Amino acid sequence: MNQAAFLSALQKIFPERRLLTAPAALAAYESDGLTAFRARPLVVVIPETQEEVIRAVKACHEFGAPFVARGSGTSLSGGALPVKEGVVLALNRLNRILKLDPQQRIAVVEPGVVNIEITKAAAPFGLLYAPDPSSQPVCTIGGNVAFNSGGAHCLKYGMTSNHVLGLKVVLPDGEVAELGGDSLESVDADYVGLFSGSEGLFGIALEITVRLLPKPETYRTLLAAYRSLEAAGDAVSSVIASGLLPGALEIMDNLSIQAAEAAVKPGYPLDAAALLIVELEGERAQVEAEWARLKAVIDASRPYLVKVARDDEERMKIWKGRKSAFSAVGRLSPDYIVQDGVVPRRRLGEALAEIEKLSAKWGIRVANVFHAGDGNLHPLIMFDGREPGALRRAEELAGEIIALCIRLGGSITGEHGVGMEKRQYMPRQFSATDMDAMWALRKAIDPLELANRGKVFPEGEAPSLHRVGAHPLEQAGVISRE
Amino acid sequence: MSADLIGELQATVASSARVRPRGATTKMRAPANNCATLDMRRLAGVVDYQPTEFVITAWAGTPVAEVQSLLAEHGQYLPFDPLLAERGATLGGTIAANACGPERYRYGGARDFIIGARFIDGNGNLIQGGGKVVKNAAGFDYPKLMVGSLGRLGALVELTFKVFPKPEAYATLRVDGASLDAALALLPKLTNCPYDLNAIDLVIGAASQVAILIRVGGLAAGLPQRMDRVRSLCGGGDIVTGDVEAQLWRDAREFAWVADGMPVVKVPLTPGRIPALDARVSSARRRYSVGGNVAWIATSALDELDATLRSLDLAGLVLLNAPGDPRIGRRVSNAFAERVARALDPQNKFG
């Protein structure tokens, strides 16, 4: 690629202050929420209009420059990691809510809109945008769509893609396509569903039509403390078997409880081996009827302590503790890896016991917070990056947990995506035929492999020839990690 | 046995110039000429069902009714409310046609409950997408892509769904005699209120008077109180329960309101677009379902409806009782769709 000519083409689109090439300016974009990986891009451009995004993508296509779209850079799987010598399109300024139609219960937003801003805008109409990843005060909807982000309420309401009705996207060669629409129903293959969660490999979403839901009339949230993780896991099974459909079912283990308490003081019992959070939500009369049933199920599960949120403030406190858990673990350990495996719910107990064994075997502390309702584990593997070999050992432990999830019939990722972090594990979950078919799809949409090159697939050129170990780009010295 | 059968179907796809999967043919798509038919009903039966996982896996040729009765034994159901189950519709056909009923209003459509799919692509390969856990972000989401694909992107072999506990009791508020304007004025009050409504349908009668049907489901204990609130929001109406209530919605799912042999067209839209459409189809039997997000229009004047839909920039699908291409109304070519088809079916065998 002729870098000078390429940069000059970009300069025709972007003024100097929105085209960053100085090393100091690029440093902020070198990695995302998965800080173990870094790569310095050639250039960062900061579009303010959809047209500028389209023109930038066309320029990338013309010069064969790989590009990565980036919102707030909160990806925990390295999804927004730049390609060395490639382009980063920072989309935070495309943050307009283009339309909010309470009567049809939809909003049309640009990709740089922060998740929680949609709910804020919808709140005066008694509506909300349901998907609520822990990073919702900062993460952008464009990233949510690319990675099909989840959150604590997925069992009942699904993930991001379940709330996206329509997309305007720019494909990796600059062509623009409109997918889906603004109705809850459609009469075409679900291209919106396919684009969502494609991790930026199919192009960039420019406009996103999301559905809004009425804010539940009431919530009932309880905390139950147990002397063992197994007891909390059994309680989850009992809640599910009782025919209830809670909005959220979350478990935190003792390490996570300690961390959350130290960070935001949610009032969790510090001596609990496991904490279960159950939340019912909906129409008052229905929730009251469900509450009676839930109380009976929880009492029968023999917690040693039950706390019920008496008002919205207490409820928010419970959730603040849970949602702060990832960052709070930073108080217990200088570095950590967040895992995101999924197991069938009935095998949660088995999975946790195995993780405990692995933790003992490696001598590495692992905190567990997880979406118990949908079997989505979030082991937080703690290490000290200054210690030689510590990161590698933590990653090997993480790899064993991923293998465990696959063995138990689950998935390598529930909501963080494959990204850079788990790409080498894809061939363990999918057959060579599946991998080849996904690769063929990628190549049909993006023959030059420009859009988020290097993610999802074990290696760029030949997906069937996978291997486990250091990333091939790493071996080639193209990317590095600290 | 199923492996042999799948192998046989794969071989048929590989060796044929054109293929078409076929289920119970409860919907459209008569077999075309010069086209090999894949009889998917041979692949029938539930493969795996773990009630406590809220997950069921079955072969694509399984009758929906069979799945529903197994789920019902465990107090569970398919919340996307599949259509035509009593006529023998299969899971595969339901997904390919995206045939969801009125109650998809509450928790979502087929796209929101399909979590895994195995299908034979145009190369004759058996491809797996998604999985058997309710939450999964690994790999491209083929299962969703297949919803509404009309068998044009491959032959569905095995499907996995998330399921939910079935509401313990139902009741319906029926408000008769409203004008369409009045019904549409009431609609946003219903869709935006924090009451958990399972379905909202507007049934247009012979003289264009409207019956508003609002279905509520949940625990029996809270139901009477909830129905009273819905009734006061609507300013009146009759509360229907029991078999009569169930029949109201069975009639909707099975198209009992449509004359025998009359084509039925599905038109996705938003409530705000109903008046313009309704004025143009006032001689047809029709019903606005899913809280005003789907129009069902029964008419034999399909050419006329095609032109009407085009002029209103709406797309339609002839779901029942008409041979040939079921797609009418607006058709926009889409570069993304073309590339997807090229990857999955490079020789256009299914198209």
Side-chain angles (χ1 to χ4, degrees):
Chain A
M1 178 177 69
N2 181 341
Q3 284 191 353
F6 176 53
L7 284 174
S8 133
L10 289 178
Q11 277 158 358
K12 293 197 181 92
I13 307 169
F14 298 98
E16 201 181 321
R17 65 179 193 287
R18 293 196 283 116
L19 189 147
L20 315 178
T21 52
L26 296 177
Y29 296 88
E30 282 180 3
S31 71
D32 57 17
L34 183 69
T35 50
F37 289 106
R38 2 191 110 242
R40 178 159 298 182
L42 171 70
V43 54
V44 174
V45 295
I46 306 173
E48 289 182 343
T49 63
Q50 295 180 22
E51 191 51 39
E52 286 180 348
V53 178
I54 297 166
R55 290 176 66 194
V57 169
K58 282 183 176 160
C60 289
H61 185 254
E62 185 186 338
F63 286 88
F67 62 86
V68 180
R70 180 188 169 107
S72 299
T74 55
S75 173
L76 292 169
S77 60
L81 179 77
V83 178
K84 191 178 180 185
E85 304 296 315
V87 179
V88 171
L89 290 101
L91 300 179
N92 305 68
R93 293 192 189 181
L94 264 82
N95 60 355
R96 284 161 285 246
I97 295 178
L98 300 172
K99 178 173 159 184
L100 194 135
D101 183 342
Q103 298 233 330
Q104 330 280 335
R105 273 191 2 208
I106 53 172
V108 182
V109 303
E110 290 184 326
V113 172
V114 168
N115 175 300
I116 207 162
E117 295 299 328
I118 306 177
T119 287
K120 280 188 188 162
F125 307 100
L127 302 173
L128 58 76
Y129 173 67
D132 64 338
S134 294
S135 54
Q136 74 181 139
V138 287
C139 64
T140 63
I141 192 74
N144 290 176
V145 170
F147 282 78
N148 195 13
S149 307
H153 294 84
C154 292
L155 179 65
K156 190 167 179 180
Y157 293 108
M159 322 229 316
T160 297
S161 67
N162 301 106
H163 298 267
V164 178
L165 303 176
L167 290 171
K168 176 182 171 191
V169 303
V170 55
L171 301 176
D173 56 0
E175 188 157 354
V176 173
E178 309 248 1
L179 317 176
D182 54 7
S183 174
L184 292 176
E185 273 291 323
S186 67
V187 289
D188 201 354
D190 191 352
Y191 299 106
V192 170
L194 180 66
F195 191 93
S196 304
S198 60
E199 306 203 1
L201 270 63
F202 294 163
I204 300 172
L206 300 171
E207 275 183 31
I208 299 141
T209 303
V210 297
R211 69 181 171 122
L212 304 171
L213 298 179
K215 186 179 185 307
E217 185 176 26
T218 191
Y219 295 91
R220 296 299 293 269
T221 310
L222 71 73
L223 270 183
Y226 296 87
R227 297 286 181 207
S228 73
L229 269 172
E230 288 74 13
D234 290 346
V236 169
S237 302
S238 307
V239 171
I240 294 292
S242 75
L244 291 171
L245 182 61
L249 269 167
E250 303 279 307
I251 292 180
M252 300 173 72
D253 73 358
N254 185 265
L255 269 178
S256 320
I257 296 166
Q258 304 278 354
E261 194 57 34
V264 298
K265 303 206 170 12
Y268 293 164
L270 286 171
D271 54 346
L275 209 53
L276 171 64
I277 302 172
V278 189
E279 182 164 278
L280 299 173
E281 35 91 289
E283 195 178 346
R284 192 164 285 119
Q286 166 77 3
V287 169
E288 290 311 318
E290 289 177 342
W291 181 249
R293 187 179 287 189
L294 177 67
K295 279 287 284 175
V297 173
I298 292 295
D299 288 346
S301 72
R302 313 279 300 270
Y304 74 89
L305 178 79
V306 176
K307 280 172 84 171
V308 179
R310 281 167 301 186
D311 52 32
D312 210 42
E313 196 183 331
E314 288 194 3
R315 172 178 173 258
M316 292 320 288
K317 220 167 141 189
I318 290 175
W319 278 112
K320 195 173 179 193
R322 165 60 188 86
K323 292 197 175 188
S324 74
F326 289 0
S327 53
V329 164
R331 290 173 174 254
L332 302 183
S333 171
D335 299 287
Y336 59 91
I337 295 173
V338 185
Q339 275 284 295
D340 179 41
V342 183
V343 297
R345 195 169 28 228
R346 68 186 181 285
R347 310 196 77 165
L348 268 177
E350 204 177 323
L352 291 168
E354 278 295 316
I355 290 172
E356 209 174 334
K357 273 190 219 156
L358 289 171
S359 165
K361 179 182 119 185
W362 287 90
I364 296 175
R365 287 190 301 168
V366 180
N368 281 290
V369 285
F370 48 95
H371 307 302
D374 39 36
N376 188 188
L377 305 165
H378 286 313
L380 296 142
I381 301 163
M382 298 181 230
F383 65 97
D384 183 347
R386 291 163 304 185
E387 214 176 275
L391 170 62
R392 186 189 49 74
R393 282 159 33 78
E395 285 192 320
E396 283 185 43
L397 169 55
E400 292 199 38
I401 294 174
I402 288 174
L404 169 72
C405 291
I406 297 171
R407 197 168 70 237
L408 295 177
S411 172
I412 61 175
T413 173
E415 55 187 3
H416 297 170
V418 177
M420 177 63 86
E421 184 201 22
K422 292 177 285 283
R423 30 178 280 165
Q424 73 267 33
Y425 299 104
M426 281 290 278
R428 295 211 198 163
Q429 184 165 340
F430 293 98
S431 73
T433 312
D434 297 337
M435 292 303 296
D436 287 344
M438 282 192 266
W439 184 250
L441 184 54
R442 150 69 148 175
K443 291 287 277 187
I445 291 164
D446 183 9
L448 303 180
E449 300 163 45
L450 298 179
N452 217 2
R453 176 185 290 173
K455 314 295 166 62
V456 180
F457 293 96
E459 40 187 290
E461 289 71 30
S464 298
L465 302 173
H466 49 84
R467 59 172 169 257
V468 176
H471 190 286
L473 292 175
E474 213 174 356
Q475 291 173 352
V478 177
I479 60 169
S480 62
R481 51 177 132 181
E482 296 172 350
Chain B
M1 189 202 86
S2 48
D4 292 347
L5 196 46
I6 294 167
E8 197 184 302
L9 294 166
Q10 287 179 263
T12 305
V13 173
S15 65
S16 307
R18 297 197 64 206
V19 283
R20 182 151 298 180
R22 199 188 76 173
T25 58
T26 52
K27 296 177 272 291
M28 61 285 176
R29 295 211 87 174
N33 294 330
N34 311 320
C35 186
T37 299
L38 306 174
D39 185 355
M40 305 310 295
R41 284 172 306 176
R42 296 162 69 200
L43 270 173
V46 172
V47 177
D48 190 18
Y49 174 42
Q50 303 287 345
T52 58
E53 293 296 327
F54 286 177
V55 171
I56 192 163
T57 300
W59 297 114
T62 312
V64 170
E66 185 182 323
V67 171
Q68 287 174 321
S69 59
L70 177 62
L71 291 172
E73 284 172 29
H74 298 271
Q76 297 182 345
Y77 77 137
L78 295 168
F80 60 91
D81 202 16
L83 299 171
L84 300 165
E86 289 182 15
R87 293 200 209 176
T90 62
L91 288 179
T94 300
I95 290 303
N98 187 15
C100 306
E103 245 187 295
R104 71 86 74 215
Y105 176 77
R106 174 73 180 101
Y107 289 114
R111 73 186 302 266
D112 301 305
F113 288 89
I114 185 169
I115 57 173
R118 285 204 290 161
F119 63 97
I120 301 170
D121 71 5
N123 299 312
N125 289 324
L126 183 64
I127 308 293
Q128 162 82 48
K132 294 183 179 178
V133 281
V134 294
K135 197 174 186 185
N136 187 358
F140 298 146
D141 201 338
Y142 293 120
K144 277 197 189 63
L145 174 68
M146 291 298 157
V147 175
S149 63
L150 301 174
R152 291 174 177 274
L153 294 172
L156 298 170
V157 167
E158 185 194 81
L159 298 165
T160 300
F161 296 94
K162 175 164 96 168
V163 301
F164 274 171
K166 189 176 168 64
E168 183 180 287
Y170 281 109
T172 292
L173 182 77
R174 183 184 176 120
V175 185
D176 278 301
S179 68
L180 183 61
D181 284 352
L184 289 174
L186 180 62
L187 193 56
K189 292 194 184 120
L190 290 163
T191 57
N192 287 30
C193 76
Y195 306 169
D196 295 329
L197 309 177
N198 281 58
I200 308 169
D201 274 23
L202 310 181
V203 184
I204 315 296
S208 285
Q209 87 287 5
V210 181
I212 308 168
L213 301 178
I214 303 153
R215 187 170 217 203
V216 180
L219 296 179
L223 202 53
Q225 201 185 330
R226 295 170 66 198
M227 291 310 294
D228 285 346
R229 293 214 305 179
V230 179
R231 181 158 57 184
S232 48
L233 184 72
C234 294
D238 301 320
I239 294 170
V240 188
T241 56
D243 291 347
V244 180
E245 195 270 349
Q247 189 64 43
L248 280 176
W249 298 100
R250 189 179 302 139
D251 286 352
R253 286 192 299 269
E254 301 295 327
F255 296 97
W257 55 279
V258 174
D260 267 356
M262 179 76 87
V264 178
V265 180
K266 170 185 173 178
V267 181
L269 74 181
T270 47
R273 304 188 69 180
I274 290 176
L277 174 65
D278 197 76
R280 303 279 293 274
V281 295
S282 56
S283 60
R285 290 297 306 274
R286 60 209 186 274
R287 179 175 184 129
Y288 299 103
S289 189
V290 194
N293 278 270
V294 177
W296 291 107
I297 302 165
T299 178
S300 48
L302 290 174
D303 289 344
E304 199 181 312
L305 182 60
D306 178 46
T308 299
L309 293 180
R310 279 171 202 270
S311 70
L312 294 171
D313 198 27
L314 290 168
L317 181 82
V318 190
L319 190 82
L320 279 183
N321 301 327
D325 192 331
R327 298 169 295 181
I328 65 171
R330 175 181 60 120
R331 287 274 282 281
V332 192
S333 70
N334 162 347
F336 185 68
E338 286 161 14
R339 294 178 202 186
V340 170
R342 206 184 306 146
L344 289 180
D345 184 16
Q347 294 168 68
N348 196 25
K349 293 180 175 188
F350 287 100

